[in-house]
Amino acid sequence: MDEIKSVSEYINFLDGLESLYPMQRYVVPSTFFRGQANKDWKLSPKLYREGMLEKEGIMIQEILHKYPEEFNTDRFNILAKLQHFGFPTRLLDVSANPLVALYFACSGKGELDNDGVVYIFPNIPASWSDDLLVSIVMDFIFEHTPQNLWLDKFVEEVTKRYSSCVGITIPDNSKSLLQILTIPEFAVIPKKQNSRLSAQDGAFFLFGMKQINSRISNNIGTYGRKYYDFGPIEFEDNTKLWHASKKIIIPSNSKQKILKQLDLMGINEQSLFPDIEHQLKYIWEKYK
């Protein structure tokens, strides 16, 4: 585990990272960074930290019914927009810009006295937000629940919905679909449809689920159907999320100095949060 105390030390550390070129159309090796103001926080999306996975779909449906014009976009970008507003989702923010991650490792209300951390995920396979696997997970989120999933029915829906896709293998059985739902996480590159995503060079980890239980129904009307229950995936450490990941500690007594250095480089609240609320806050803090 490494420790850095200045922006220059951080850049020198990054100089040793190797980059790969894109290998195929649908998967792009990318290096992502995530900064957390407290090194003891888990690498887990808010939906999972709050224990709200069971309510995921019903919450989203209520939002879409109450605010249809606000969320008139494709499903992944609906999830990204909810994340933007601070609503609990199964997305975890990352950035392709290492200085953005360093900023978040040093900022944070009430965390200046705690050591921060930057996680680096070098050359992790990343999918576009309209990739088939991502779309299938979105279908699950928006149309199903983690309890009592009739997987065979979901297979029928998927094969029918994506039957016209060319050059892509469509999961056509419960085993292959179960594998998709239980992939620990996808690194996803979103469409830059809001100013904050663009300013922060943002991307996401889309978290999967773990199978908890399965059972055969004995009830009249559903007799013989196999139902599945799922729960949130938790990672013990960053190497479980991505085997090649690295962890850099930011000592608490170096945070203010690093924030000043980043400010001189144009990495600050004003540049990373383009909305007027944060613009005014930055000006206030500068003069205060």
Side-chain angles (χ1 to χ4, degrees):
M1 187 183 304
D2 294 275
E3 182 177 286
I4 67 104
K5 299 179 180 180
S6 68
V7 173
S8 60
E9 287 183 13
Y10 185 62
I11 293 174
N12 287 336
F13 179 88
L14 297 176
D15 192 44
L17 295 178
E18 295 183 0
S19 298
L20 297 177
Y21 292 102
M23 292 182 293
Q24 54 179 289
R25 177 181 176 185
Y26 298 106
V27 179
V28 182
S30 302
T31 295
F32 293 122
F33 306 82
R34 177 172 171 83
Q36 297 188 166
N38 190 321
K39 65 179 178 58
D40 296 324
W41 289 346
K42 291 183 178 180
L43 274 168
S44 182
K46 189 174 182 180
L47 183 77
Y48 289 8
R49 297 196 306 268
E50 299 287 343
M52 296 291 286
L53 177 61
E54 294 182 9
K55 308 290 175 51
E56 179 182 34
I58 193 170
M59 290 190 299
I60 291 175
Q61 289 306 316
E62 180 172 343
I63 291 170
L64 296 183
H65 277 81
K66 288 186 174 180
Y67 312 104
E69 294 182 359
E70 186 70 40
F71 295 93
N72 185 24
T73 183
D74 64 84
R75 287 177 166 177
F76 185 85
N77 281 290
I78 289 173
L79 216 61
K81 195 168 186 178
L82 289 172
Q83 179 82 352
H84 167 81
F85 287 132
F87 196 83
T89 76
R90 62 170 68 195
L91 299 179
L92 189 70
D93 295 274
V94 293
S95 174
N97 187 329
L99 296 181
V100 171
L102 183 60
Y103 170 85
F104 285 111
C106 295
S107 61
K109 294 180 180 178
E111 299 297 335
L112 286 177
D113 293 330
N114 295 313
D115 291 348
V117 61
V118 173
Y119 294 102
I120 304 174
F121 305 95
N123 302 315
I124 188 170
S127 303
W128 305 113
S129 59
D130 55 1
D131 181 82
L132 175 65
L133 298 185
V134 177
S135 298
I136 289 174
V137 175
M138 293 301 104
D139 293 341
F140 171 84
I141 292 172
F142 281 74
E143 299 175 14
H144 298 277
T145 65
Q147 292 76 41
N148 299 316
L149 175 66
W150 183 19
L151 200 55
D152 290 340
K153 178 64 174 177
F154 191 22
V155 171
E156 291 181 10
E157 295 169 0
V158 167
T159 53
K160 181 178 180 180
R161 181 170 293 165
Y162 300 105
S163 60
S164 61
C165 293
V166 179
I168 301 176
T169 302
I170 311 298
D172 58 359
N173 58 73
S174 58
K175 182 179 179 180
S176 60
L177 198 54
L178 186 62
Q179 289 176 338
I180 293 174
L181 296 179
T182 55
I183 291 175
E185 50 76 28
F186 297 90
V188 182
I189 302 172
K191 298 174 183 176
K192 300 298 191 291
Q193 291 191 336
N194 68 64
S195 56
R196 185 182 297 187
L197 265 179
S198 297
Q200 298 178 10
D201 208 353
F204 300 102
F205 285 157
L206 170 62
F207 274 57
M209 304 174 294
K210 62 182 178 182
Q211 181 186 336
I212 295 177
N213 187 31
S214 65
R215 60 192 173 277
I216 304 297
S217 174
N218 291 318
N219 297 329
I220 298 175
T222 62
Y223 184 82
R225 293 181 184 176
K226 190 172 185 179
Y227 291 95
Y228 292 82
D229 296 329
F230 300 91
I233 285 180
E234 294 184 358
F235 295 99
E236 299 173 5
D237 58 55
N238 51 292
T239 58
K240 299 297 182 182
L241 199 155
W242 178 240
H243 66 91
S245 65
K246 303 178 185 299
K247 184 177 181 180
I248 300 176
I249 299 299
I250 316 297
S252 59
N253 57 12
S254 299
K255 284 185 172 182
Q256 292 283 24
K257 179 181 75 172
I258 291 175
L259 285 174
K260 290 181 180 178
Q261 293 173 342
L262 288 173
D263 190 27
L264 291 173
M265 303 172 73
I267 305 295
N268 49 47
E269 185 174 20
Q270 188 176 43
S271 64
L272 298 181
F273 298 92
D275 55 277
I276 188 64
E277 177 185 357
H278 286 87
Q279 300 292 308
L280 298 178
K281 182 181 176 184
Y282 174 81
I283 294 173
W284 164 253
E285 293 292 340
K286 181 175 70 171
Y287 282 95
K288 187 174 68 171

